[in-house]
Amino acid sequence: MANEQFRNVMDFKPRKALLYVPWIKGMKLEKQEDFEELGRALATLHQISSHFPHAKGPFTFKQIQLWQSQDRLFRRRMAKAIQTNEPNRKWYKKYGKSCNRLSERAWTDLRSPEIVDLLEKERARTALIHNDITSPNVIISDEGQLFIIDWDHMKVGSLYVDVAKSLMNTTQYNPDFNLSLLKGYEEIHPLDRIERKLIY
């Protein structure tokens, strides 16, 4: 019976290995200490290997292009939605200008010479990334140990994007949790001012 439960799934998904682990009983990220531990775990992953000769960037630049496309699409859809939907119109009246200003400031910052230079340097520095850090993919066990699960999107890519997406997908934009994750990260992998500006 055990062999049936743990049969090799390579038959079903060629070229993709699957690792079976015991069920982890635990809870989601709740405390600042949890986010610090997540930051340390991410930084440790990013430092496992810094050179993959067959993988070259520009990883962050590609993600920025994707986010710019998503921003343009959001603006187009919002322009239509506020014409036909009263709740959307109220939301946009209250938050729309602030969102647009924040977006414009971000795109301006990303075109600054110091960020462009950092992105150029990234081509030569690759990192192993999880690429799907979300609240459901991080578990704190009953013993207090942090586990990151669902590694099927792991790849060589941008540590900056991995950290930025982790902040977006786990902290609910809570400033204390954001700072805790970055504090834990920088205990292992210090970031300079330009790197912090790019991530944040």
Side-chain angles (χ1 to χ4, degrees):
M1 184 66 175
N3 286 341
E4 274 300 307
Q5 288 178 326
F6 297 103
R7 64 185 169 188
N8 184 353
V9 290
M10 294 288 282
D11 298 336
F12 304 104
K13 290 193 175 189
R15 298 186 311 263
K16 224 174 190 182
L18 183 63
L19 173 66
Y20 289 100
V21 296
W23 181 260
I24 302 165
K25 187 177 177 207
M27 59 195 134
K28 62 183 182 177
L29 298 161
E30 294 180 340
K31 304 178 294 212
Q32 287 179 247
E33 295 81 19
D34 298 339
F35 288 93
E36 283 183 34
E37 187 61 28
L38 175 58
R40 285 189 285 273
L42 267 178
T44 301
L45 171 65
H46 295 162
Q47 291 193 327
I48 286 176
S49 180
S50 58
H51 298 290
F52 293 88
H54 60 282
K56 296 289 181 191
F59 300 111
T60 304
F61 182 71
K62 288 178 183 176
Q63 182 64 54
I64 289 169
Q65 288 179 317
L66 175 63
W67 282 332
Q68 286 175 323
S69 296
Q70 291 170 337
D71 180 50
R72 286 190 296 270
L73 181 61
F74 170 77
R75 290 177 190 229
R76 281 197 304 271
R77 288 183 175 169
M78 187 52 70
K80 288 181 183 177
I82 62 176
Q83 295 172 3
T84 58
N85 185 292
E86 182 62 27
N88 286 344
R89 192 171 17 257
K90 287 180 180 176
W91 180 90
Y92 192 78
K93 186 175 181 182
K94 187 172 184 179
Y95 302 110
K97 287 183 182 176
S98 296
C99 287
N100 288 338
R101 275 197 305 270
L102 185 61
S103 176
E104 290 304 326
R105 191 177 107 205
W107 303 136
T108 299
D109 285 349
L110 290 170
R111 288 189 295 269
S112 70
E114 54 195 9
I115 296 287
V116 171
D117 184 54
L118 177 61
L119 295 179
E120 282 299 318
K121 289 176 182 171
E122 183 195 32
R123 291 174 186 265
R125 292 180 298 170
T126 54
L128 196 59
I129 65 170
H130 182 278
N131 201 38
D132 193 27
I133 298 288
T134 60
S135 294
N137 287 345
V138 182
I139 300 170
I140 307 297
S141 74
D142 290 344
E143 294 77 32
Q145 187 175 356
L146 182 136
F147 289 89
I148 298 174
I149 62 171
D150 288 351
W151 291 83
D152 50 324
H153 295 289
M154 183 180 70
K155 65 178 186 174
V156 174
S158 167
L159 66 91
Y160 306 121
V161 172
D162 210 28
V163 174
K165 287 170 71 175
S166 299
L167 288 165
M168 289 189 292
N169 294 335
T170 63
T171 65
Q172 297 87 44
Y173 300 97
N174 179 319
D176 293 331
F177 292 162
N178 284 342
L179 292 173
S180 295
L181 194 153
L182 289 172
K183 177 184 174 190
Y185 189 90
E186 293 201 60
E187 285 176 17
I188 308 287
H189 187 284
L191 300 167
D192 64 30
R193 181 183 66 83
I194 309 304
E195 290 174 310
R196 274 189 228 100
K197 184 177 180 180
L198 175 60
I199 290 169
Y200 220 58

